[in-house]
Amino acid sequence: MNVERMIDSLQSIDSYKRYGKVIRVVGLMIESKGPKTSIGEVCYIHMGNNKQKIKAEVVGFQEENVLLMPFTYVKHIAVGSLVEATHRALEIKVGPSLIGKVLDGMGVPLDGSPLPRGLFRYPSENEPPNPMERPRIHESIQLGIRSIDSLLTVGKGQRVGIFAGSGVGKSTLLGMVARNSTADLNVIALIGERGREVLDFIERDLGEEGLKRSIVIVATSDQPALMRIKGALTATSIAEYFRDQGKNVMLMMDSVTRVAMAQREIGLAVGEPPTTKGYTPSVFAVLPKLLERSGTNKNGTITAFYTVLVDGDDFNEPISDTVRGILDGHFILDRKLANKGQFPAVNILKSISRVMNDIVPKEHRQAAERLRELLSSYVEAEDLISIGAYKRGSSKSVDEAIQMYPNILAFLKQQVDEDVSYEEALQRLLIEFGKDER
């Protein structure tokens, strides 16, 4: 039976190689006459006497011509260069031996070393799990950050957005999560980062211990738009592979905004019309498909954190709105809190975890709500308090908030190298805010 199947497979193989020729290059786009191929497939473009060839992906068609986008910047493509069809989409190699490695957007080690042995081929683009096969989130996961574990509890398989402007502490927060969480391993995608910041993150924020249980995928800002998108897809595919092995994976992507910008570049290059703030329609089609790939399935979980770079601290710009509507919660990093020296600068009152109420006990939920009420009362009266215009006794809730504010501030602050377990965070929350004595 197996022999017959193998014979049928061999007979169905196309033994011909199909070629086309480059006819035009405009900006990021290479246009060729042929070969016969489909969107998403990889082609090789031969340069100079066919001694060198580069990979490119089919991203569209213009009448009868094929539109290609290369994975690397090229200088030696000429009119008439051969384009070879592979009839395959991009595949990466994955396996446990990748843990501790730093890879590029195509899954190749950045230090130039060969890939380890024993890896398996895995597609870079997969469909999200069937909604009916996604188990409900019913168990919390420890992140090692007191304010989040106690007030914004995250569940295994939850997807959360971290929204912040530049320089408010996104990378530092991700580094703390990577070092302190109870996930089986971390998959970290640095998309569109400055080249200088890559080693800074790996050595300072992630650290040696964090790298030992992580796989880092890097696509810096100087690389082509297609390579930045492939970095996000490769990281998600690696996380999916380990999830299918029954692991609880922590996926962190910094940042999804730069993925959207890369897709905008590709969309504009193939002729899509710019819509909201210059973003093309394909951006708002790609984001849900990418973000929905993480989460739970019948084998394991991917708990995902996606950072959103908020331009000008405008939390209502198009990408922020879209991502916030897709994910299962959002953490707002507030520049005002960072300027006051509160780190991590998570604005508890503006942040939400949509699954927290389903995964924490009643006592935990009540204590978290009481802390929020106290903090909200203080923030509302903060201007009067700071100028001395508030008179004690005017409001019982504000009086109590003023009394408890030092405890709240001490609870929310945490040193970068401080590891707080979920049990420690919960115990302190219940002791200090668990009993309402009003």
Side-chain angles (χ1 to χ4, degrees), residues 285-298:
V286 165
L287 284 179
K289 190 172 181 180
L290 173 66
L291 302 181
E292 285 288 346
R293 287 172 61 182
S294 55
T296 61
N297 75 356
K298 58 186 178 182

Side-chain angles (χ1 to χ4, degrees), residues 186-201:
N186 306 306
V187 179
I188 304 170
L190 304 178
I191 309 299
E193 288 284 345
R194 304 174 188 89
R196 175 190 62 81
E197 292 180 338
V198 174
L199 266 183
D200 281 353
F201 177 82

Side-chain angles (χ1 to χ4, degrees), residues 158-215:
Q158 185 175 350
R159 302 159 304 144
V160 180
I162 300 176
F163 295 76
S166 57
V168 188
K170 297 186 302 297
S171 298
T172 303
L173 183 65
L174 291 181
M176 292 176 69
V177 172
R179 293 193 308 271
N180 302 337
S181 79
T182 53
D184 295 326
L185 78 152
N186 306 306
V187 179
I188 304 170
L190 304 178
I191 309 299
E193 288 284 345
R194 304 174 188 89
R196 175 190 62 81
E197 292 180 338
V198 174
L199 266 183
D200 281 353
F201 177 82
I202 293 172
E203 295 182 358
R204 181 191 62 200
D205 298 325
L206 187 58
E208 185 177 349
E209 290 302 316
L211 184 59
K212 286 180 181 178
R213 53 195 294 263
S214 302
I215 301 171

Side-chain angles (χ1 to χ4, degrees), residues 137-139 153-159 328-329 352-360:
I137 298 170
H138 54 78
E139 186 180 354
T153 311
V154 174
K156 288 182 180 178
Q158 185 175 350
R159 302 159 304 144
D328 309 317
I352 188 171
S353 170
R354 291 197 175 106
V355 304
M356 177 178 173
N357 289 342
D358 298 330
I359 61 176
V360 300

Side-chain angles (χ1 to χ4, degrees), residues 90-324:
L90 180 68
E91 291 183 329
I92 58 172
K93 292 185 177 181
V94 297
S97 54
L98 286 182
I99 298 175
K101 299 286 187 182
V102 181
L103 313 174
D104 67 10
M106 298 176 71
V108 178
L110 263 184
D111 59 6
S113 62
L115 279 168
R117 293 184 177 181
L119 300 179
F120 306 92
R121 288 190 174 274
Y122 203 78
S124 65
E125 294 194 49
N126 298 295
E127 291 298 319
N130 187 318
M132 297 302 292
E133 296 179 358
R134 283 187 185 266
R136 292 185 61 194
I137 298 170
H138 54 78
E139 186 180 354
S140 62
I141 185 170
Q142 173 185 305
L143 302 182
I145 300 173
R146 183 167 48 242
S147 58
I148 295 177
D149 282 341
S150 57
L151 304 173
L152 300 164
T153 311
V154 174
K156 288 182 180 178
Q158 185 175 350
R159 302 159 304 144
V160 180
I162 300 176
F163 295 76
S166 57
V168 188
K170 297 186 302 297
S171 298
T172 303
L173 183 65
L174 291 181
M176 292 176 69
V177 172
R179 293 193 308 271
N180 302 337
S181 79
T182 53
D184 295 326
L185 78 152
N186 306 306
V187 179
I188 304 170
L190 304 178
I191 309 299
E193 288 284 345
R194 304 174 188 89
R196 175 190 62 81
E197 292 180 338
V198 174
L199 266 183
D200 281 353
F201 177 82
I202 293 172
E203 295 182 358
R204 181 191 62 200
D205 298 325
L206 187 58
E208 185 177 349
E209 290 302 316
L211 184 59
K212 286 180 181 178
R213 53 195 294 263
S214 302
I215 301 171
V216 183
I217 295 88
V218 177
T220 52
S221 58
D222 60 296
Q223 293 182 314
L226 187 61
M227 197 65 163
R228 280 173 267 152
I229 290 179
K230 291 303 176 187
L233 297 175
T234 295
T236 307
S237 292
I238 292 173
E240 287 173 327
Y241 167 80
F242 285 103
R243 178 180 63 184
D244 291 342
Q245 306 303 308
K247 302 291 186 183
N248 295 314
V249 185
M250 183 71 69
L251 171 64
M252 288 172 275
M253 189 175 296
D254 184 15
S255 70
V256 73
T257 305
R258 295 191 176 108
V259 176
M261 290 178 175
Q263 182 61 40
R264 177 174 63 183
E265 287 182 39
I266 294 175
L268 292 173
V270 298
E272 285 188 69
T275 53
T276 311
K277 285 201 172 181
Y279 288 103
T280 56
S282 63
V283 173
F284 302 101
V286 165
L287 284 179
K289 190 172 181 180
L290 173 66
L291 302 181
E292 285 288 346
R293 287 172 61 182
S294 55
T296 61
N297 75 356
K298 58 186 178 182
N299 299 313
T301 65
I302 299 175
T303 307
F305 287 91
Y306 299 96
T307 68
V308 180
L309 184 62
V310 182
D311 292 333
D313 291 343
D314 176 13
F315 291 93
N316 295 315
E317 54 94 27
I319 300 303
S320 297
D321 269 346
T322 302
V323 173
R324 192 162 48 233

Side-chain angles (χ1 to χ4, degrees), residues 6-70:
M6 290 175 65
I7 292 173
D8 290 341
S9 299
L10 288 172
Q11 290 176 343
S12 64
I13 291 176
D14 187 354
S15 58
Y16 290 93
K17 283 189 176 181
R18 287 175 167 77
Y19 293 91
K21 286 188 177 183
V22 172
I23 58 173
R24 188 167 66 155
V25 178
V26 180
L28 304 173
M29 198 61 56
I30 300 169
E31 193 171 332
S32 70
K33 194 75 173 178
K36 184 179 180 182
T37 185
S38 303
I39 287 180
E41 291 183 356
V42 174
C43 293
Y44 289 112
I45 302 177
H46 296 258
M47 301 185 299
N49 298 327
N50 295 337
K51 292 181 179 179
Q52 292 181 333
K53 58 183 181 180
I54 63 165
K55 284 184 178 179
E57 184 173 297
V58 179
V59 294
F61 302 98
Q62 181 71 38
E63 295 178 352
E64 296 182 357
N65 298 330
V66 180
L67 301 180
L68 300 153
M69 184 162 283

